[in-house]
Amino acid sequence: MKFHWFNLMPWPYLPDDFREKHRSVWVDVDSRLYDPVKGHQVYNEYLDLLEFAADLGFDGIGVNEHHQNAYGLMPSPQLWASSLARRTKDVAIVLMGQSIALYNPPTRVAEEMAMIDVVSGGRLIAGFPVGTSMDTNYAFGSNPGNLRERYRENHDLIIRAWTDPDMFSWNGTYNKLRYVNLWPRPIQKPHPPIWIPGGGSVETWDFCAENEYNYSYLSFSGYIRGQFLMNGFHNRVAELGHEFNPFQAAFAQQICVANSWDEAENEYYEHAKYFFERCLHVYPGFADAPGYRTEATLRAGLKAQVGASGGAALGKTFKQYVEEGFLVGGDPDQVTEQMEHLIKSLRVGHLFALLHFGNMPKDKCERSTLLFAEKVMPRLKHLWENDYEDRWMPKKLSSDQMATPRPIRASTLVK
Amino acid sequence: MNAKNITLPGEPHATVYYRGGSGETVLWLHHLAGMQGWEPVHEALSKSFDVVAPYQPGFGESEGEALDDFDNGLDLVLHYGELLDELGTGPVHIVGHSIGGWIAAEIAAIHPSRVKRMVLVNPVGMWSESVGGEDPYAQQPMAATAVLFSDPELRNKLVLKDGAVDLMDNYVDEMKNLKGSAKFLWPLPDTGVAKRLHLVKAPTLIVSCGMDHVAPALYGEAWQQRISGAQRITIPDAGHLVNLEQPGRLADIARNFLSGAE
């Protein structure tokens, strides 16, 4: 069982009356709520937390991409992934990921990911999300009617750019390139493991099953509500005649660990509330552009990934959050028990541990992360490991091949 | 009235259309959220004309996949040209509503000989930041077309038929239709038609609606200025979907202009 520490990097200073005064945390959210001077501290603390998690032995640390929002301040995940690649050593860099349909030419994505894979010594996990409707259609103006077609073409081009040793030309619908000849090339062969973050889209299940990609269900409604979609994926893999492997599936879960149940409630409830009530306050008109999801998905009654999931968590107590699975929380024993239930019921071999959520300050997050790393993770690491092969983790260089980056902020003076 | 199907040369999907009445042919091109089959406005106009009302590819009763074969306005212009040829109509009048107004104007600019007289109703296809307009593609999902009416409440009666229509089916249908127009109008409706409007030779009437929130009546002036000799009329109390709100009035206006009795 693998654990990846993941932080959405929310803006922690949304006002108490945010829901009443603003219609959306995304797309048209008032930019006057952002303060770049505070932002300087926020970014550095968030990056500190990722590096802290790497030191504690998490298998991976994750970054992702969102635009024009206070929910997650990472327009370019590559920027943070490259910073983390230089400042960490063994941990997987889970770039989860780049909305590949948005970039023209997408060879830029192939180049940047290859750079990160090379500089990190082969530690990159390459996430290829379609991207939310808010990000892709509204903020970046991409046409919902052909977003998925563009995604598929860009995917095919990136894979070929990584794997074909010869120069080739690409005459696609959305990309016409006479000379494709990538430099640098990724360390990992044939290419870094590919993970597909998905919400509720039946097409994504088939895509992952057919290509043997990891399906990462990034729900914020928790593991109890996640059952339906995760089972949908496993069933689809079986229907298409592929073998079940828990490491082909990942799930994201908010978690808080304290020394007691009461301490967990006192310390972390307000930050969970902040996340569910402010960070997920998306205007429904931006959640699902016409054509963003196929008719088949709409008819299957699947809800939009982020936009529609916020409502279910409104006005709940800490106890309700935990009972209904929005939050895994309590003392280390209680968290271990809930985690084991999550892992076994969803049949996932990878977990995105969202140990930071909402406006949680750094010190509280460090305490919870430390308890998780020391008192929860070791009791769950063995799950699945003897029965299944994990083909979705990076294959990094051996330690004697790894470069030693210059120590952080060492003196430049020659003595 | 039942829909008719015709498969045009070179197109994998059938074109679905309604046709009724007699007299000179009027090609009716529907608005950005589709068409309710043979509508009262078609029926009214068919008292004086042979009305041909096709679904734009991917809309309504046509197959959703049909949209995949059309990438831009020129593809649609050529499609409607072929349809008229296959139906053997010769030159026609055109009423183009909303997105249909844009395509009608493109046909008249690119194939002037095909078009006798033309009515553009709340045409969409130009963008001005100062005039703006509500985004028809960023609305509450279960009430996506409410913004297209002068009063959003009218949707309950004119689309949901006071509860007779299944809400989930209607939601899927509306998304299918809006996708069909968004493909050409996303993320804002600047189609480039403005630079081609001077090529229009057909006598043209612009119909603007005072309560159109999506394509405010001010856009009507911009269309009028660019089409030589165009006339303009404003219906002050109708919204973007004037075809549903005031079918009789709209049919009268179109009939008067197309018959040359203005």
Side-chain angles (χ1 to χ4, degrees):
Chain A
M1 183 70 207
K2 307 292 194 311
F3 295 91
H4 310 281
W5 198 97
F6 195 0
N7 175 11
L8 301 170
M9 298 201 176
W11 183 241
Y13 298 109
L14 294 174
D16 292 344
D17 60 359
F18 179 71
R19 287 185 71 83
E20 294 75 49
K21 296 272 173 63
H22 301 268
R23 79 165 178 174
S24 187
V25 76
W26 225 299
V27 183
D28 62 355
V29 58
D30 188 352
S31 77
R32 292 166 197 80
L33 296 172
Y34 184 75
D35 173 348
V37 176
K38 285 179 178 163
H40 171 72
Q41 293 294 338
V42 168
Y43 267 150
N44 281 286
E45 289 188 2
Y46 285 165
L47 289 165
D48 284 348
L49 285 168
L50 284 154
E51 293 171 11
F52 177 69
D55 289 347
L56 292 177
F58 280 81
D59 298 287
I61 47 178
V63 291
N64 69 353
E65 170 182 353
H66 291 299
H67 301 278
Q68 294 187 194
N69 72 98
Y71 155 100
L73 287 160
M74 279 185 282
S76 168
Q78 270 90 328
L79 288 183
W80 287 163
S82 60
S83 164
L84 294 168
R86 281 278 292 171
R87 295 189 40 132
T88 60
K89 204 160 164 245
D90 296 317
V91 72
I93 307 292
V94 191
L95 204 166
M96 205 61 202
Q98 182 96 76
S99 301
I100 56 173
L102 298 182
Y103 299 93
N104 187 0
T107 40
R108 176 58 183 244
V109 176
E111 289 171 341
E112 290 185 350
M113 288 190 173
M115 286 174 73
I116 295 169
D117 197 50
V118 172
V119 79
S120 69
R123 290 188 282 139
L124 180 73
I125 288 172
F128 287 177
V130 171
T132 71
S133 197
M134 296 81 86
D135 294 314
T136 57
N137 305 135
Y138 294 99
F140 264 39
S142 187
N143 196 314
N146 55 31
L147 181 72
R148 282 167 203 278
E149 210 179 280
R150 192 184 284 268
Y151 171 88
R152 290 294 176 97
E153 181 181 321
N154 288 6
H155 160 270
D156 295 348
L157 173 52
I158 290 169
I159 297 297
R160 180 143 180 222
W162 275 343
T163 54
D164 190 336
D166 295 317
M167 186 165 75
F168 61 91
S169 57
W170 186 269
N171 182 16
T173 307
Y174 303 102
N175 305 278
K176 298 205 188 292
L177 297 165
R178 180 107 189 202
Y179 308 101
V180 182
N181 186 25
L182 210 70
W183 277 75
R185 300 279 174 142
I187 284 179
Q188 297 184 75
K189 302 295 176 204
H191 52 69
I194 292 172
W195 292 24
I196 311 293
S201 154
V202 292
E203 291 78 15
T204 307
W205 295 340
D206 288 20
F207 187 61
C208 291
E210 284 157 8
N211 291 289
E212 281 214 27
Y213 293 159
N214 171 293
Y215 172 70
S216 297
Y217 179 30
L218 305 186
S219 151
F220 300 109
S221 308
Y223 66 100
I224 293 169
R225 285 175 171 78
Q227 207 83 277
F228 173 70
L229 284 179
M230 217 62 206
N231 278 335
F233 172 66
H234 290 309
N235 293 342
R236 198 63 196 143
V237 169
E239 271 169 36
L240 293 170
H242 301 280
E243 231 171 88
F244 165 75
N245 187 321
F247 294 109
Q248 197 178 354
F251 190 74
Q253 177 68 49
Q254 277 99 356
I255 305 167
C256 59
V257 200
N259 293 306
S260 68
W261 171 272
D262 289 346
E263 187 186 308
E265 177 168 8
N266 293 336
E267 294 273 301
Y268 298 103
Y269 176 51
E270 59 175 307
H271 309 303
K273 238 172 118 64
Y274 182 98
F275 175 74
F276 288 117
E277 302 194 353
R278 294 182 217 180
C279 296
L280 290 184
H281 178 55
V282 178
Y283 166 59
F286 291 143
D288 205 355
Y292 172 72
R293 293 187 302 151
T294 62
E295 202 176 324
T297 298
L298 292 181
R299 293 227 181 262
L302 303 180
K303 293 259 184 273
Q305 182 185 0
V306 175
S309 61
L314 290 183
K316 303 234 183 253
T317 63
F318 182 75
K319 190 159 172 278
Q320 285 171 318
Y321 277 156
V322 174
E323 279 175 359
E324 296 179 28
F326 288 102
L327 198 59
V328 162
D331 67 25
D333 289 341
Q334 290 164 329
V335 169
T336 303
E337 189 185 325
Q338 293 163 41
M339 288 301 304
E340 187 160 356
H341 178 52
L342 179 158
I343 291 163
K344 288 182 174 166
S345 62
L346 296 178
R347 293 181 282 160
V348 293
H350 291 272
L351 186 99
F352 291 105
L354 297 163
L355 282 147
H356 180 276
F357 43 79
N359 58 348
M360 190 190 301
K362 185 180 165 190
D363 59 326
K364 283 194 195 179
C365 182
E366 284 172 344
R367 288 201 295 275
S368 176
T369 298
L370 189 63
L371 282 171
F372 189 84
E374 290 185 341
K375 300 199 170 163
V376 179
M377 231 157 54
R379 293 152 75 184
L380 301 167
K381 295 280 310 175
H382 67 281
L383 292 170
W384 310 120
E385 293 290 346
N386 292 331
D387 303 321
Y388 299 92
E389 181 199 357
D390 187 352
R391 302 194 301 273
W392 291 271
M393 277 298 277
K395 293 183 279 292
K396 63 188 177 201
L397 296 178
S398 60
S399 53
D400 60 313
Q401 292 173 302
M402 280 275 188
T404 308
R406 187 167 169 274
I408 304 301
R409 286 172 192 162
S411 167
T412 54
L413 295 175
V414 178
K415 294 263 164 69
Chain B
M1 180 183 291
N2 289 324
K4 297 175 173 65
N5 280 295
I6 185 169
T7 300
L8 302 178
E11 291 189 12
H13 301 281
T15 295
V16 183
Y17 67 102
Y18 287 84
R19 187 173 192 174
S22 58
E24 294 184 290
T25 301
V26 173
L27 176 66
W28 182 286
L29 301 180
H30 64 72
H31 58 78
L32 61 80
M35 186 167 83
Q36 295 179 356
W38 185 251
E39 297 180 1
V41 70
H42 303 133
E43 180 63 27
L45 199 57
S46 72
K47 305 290 182 221
S48 316
F49 295 96
D50 162 36
V51 176
V52 176
Y55 282 106
Q56 190 173 305
F59 277 77
E61 295 166 68
S62 77
E63 283 180 65
E65 289 74 22
L67 181 63
D68 298 343
D69 305 320
F70 298 85
D71 294 325
N72 50 46
L74 181 60
D75 286 348
L76 291 171
V77 168
L78 299 174
H79 165 78
Y80 289 121
E82 283 223 89
L83 174 65
L84 295 176
D85 285 346
E86 289 294 308
L87 296 177
T89 62
V92 295
H93 302 299
I94 306 186
V95 178
H97 181 194
S98 172
I99 190 176
W102 162 49
I103 296 302
E106 296 278 18
I107 295 170
I110 295 168
H111 284 308
S113 61
R114 285 198 185 277
V115 186
K116 294 198 281 194
R117 295 172 82 82
M118 177 166 75
V119 179
L120 304 181
V121 184
N122 300 331
V124 170
M126 284 190 219
W127 174 254
S128 152
E129 196 177 349
S130 60
V131 178
E134 292 278 348
D135 185 349
Y137 307 117
Q139 300 298 316
Q140 292 282 351
M142 296 307 285
T145 53
V147 71
L148 301 177
F149 292 93
S150 57
D151 173 355
E153 286 300 312
L154 283 171
R155 176 172 177 271
N156 293 329
K157 176 167 157 243
L158 298 173
V159 175
L160 303 179
K161 313 289 181 194
D162 293 322
V165 170
D166 180 81
L167 289 179
M168 198 60 205
D169 286 344
N170 184 67
Y171 164 65
V172 175
D173 290 344
E174 287 192 342
M175 288 297 133
K176 176 183 179 180
N177 290 334
L178 289 168
K179 173 188 177 182
S181 60
K183 180 160 183 181
F184 306 96
L185 302 177
W186 193 275
L188 45 80
D190 180 1
T191 60
V193 70
K195 68 177 180 222
R196 293 181 286 275
L197 290 179
H198 69 279
L199 298 168
V200 172
K201 300 286 185 287
T204 300
L205 173 69
I206 314 286
V207 179
S208 300
C209 290
M211 305 283 281
D212 186 338
H213 310 300
V214 166
L218 264 179
Y219 283 108
E221 281 180 24
W223 287 80
Q224 185 186 20
Q225 282 163 10
R226 285 171 174 77
I227 299 175
S228 173
Q231 300 175 40
R232 183 162 172 254
I233 186 171
T234 299
I235 304 176
D237 56 345
H240 195 64
L241 301 194
V242 57
N243 61 312
L244 300 180
E245 291 187 18
Q246 300 193 24
R249 177 104 184 266
L250 182 59
D252 285 346
I253 289 169
R255 181 190 305 109
N256 286 340
F257 183 78
L258 296 178
S259 59
E262 76 276 27

